Amino acid sequence: MKITVCVGSSCHFNGSRQFVDKLKLLLDEHNLRDKVQLSGEYCMDDPGNGISVRVNNENISVRHEQTEEFFNEYVMSKLIA
């Protein structure tokens, strides 16, 4: 699984750093670091609508407060299924 998080200025302002930090902790807690490729990209063409995230080829927008919800819906449900 490949997760790309926007680290451009708008997404950074919306909490992309906190999102990535929490996501890394969750991946470590569930021993999934070897199954998820986590990377950053500047400006993913959805500024001002939260944090732009791409999971494989699916683009979504999240808030850093939704990191655990994102993890359960997009990571756990697909990797553990």
Side-chain angles (χ1 to χ4, degrees), residues 1-7 11 16 19-20 23 36-44 51-60 62 70:
M1 171 179 283
K2 182 175 181 180
I3 300 174
T4 305
V5 180
C6 179
V7 293
C11 289
S16 64
F19 177 83
V20 168
L23 189 56
V36 177
Q37 178 186 352
L38 185 59
S39 63
E41 186 175 305
Y42 283 99
C43 196
M44 293 170 55
I51 303 162
S52 295
V53 178
R54 185 180 312 116
V55 180
N56 297 324
N57 293 317
E58 181 180 356
N59 294 322
I60 61 169
V62 298
F70 165 86

Side-chain angles (χ1 to χ4, degrees), residues 14-15 18-19 22-23 26 49-51 53 60-74:
N14 285 324
Q18 293 92 330
F19 177 83
K22 179 67 176 180
L23 189 56
L26 290 167
N49 196 20
I51 303 162
V53 178
I60 61 169
S61 181
V62 298
R63 296 235 172 256
H64 72 86
E65 299 92 350
Q66 299 171 307
T67 307
E68 288 189 47
E69 181 182 329
F70 165 86
F71 180 78
N72 290 327
E73 183 175 343
Y74 288 92

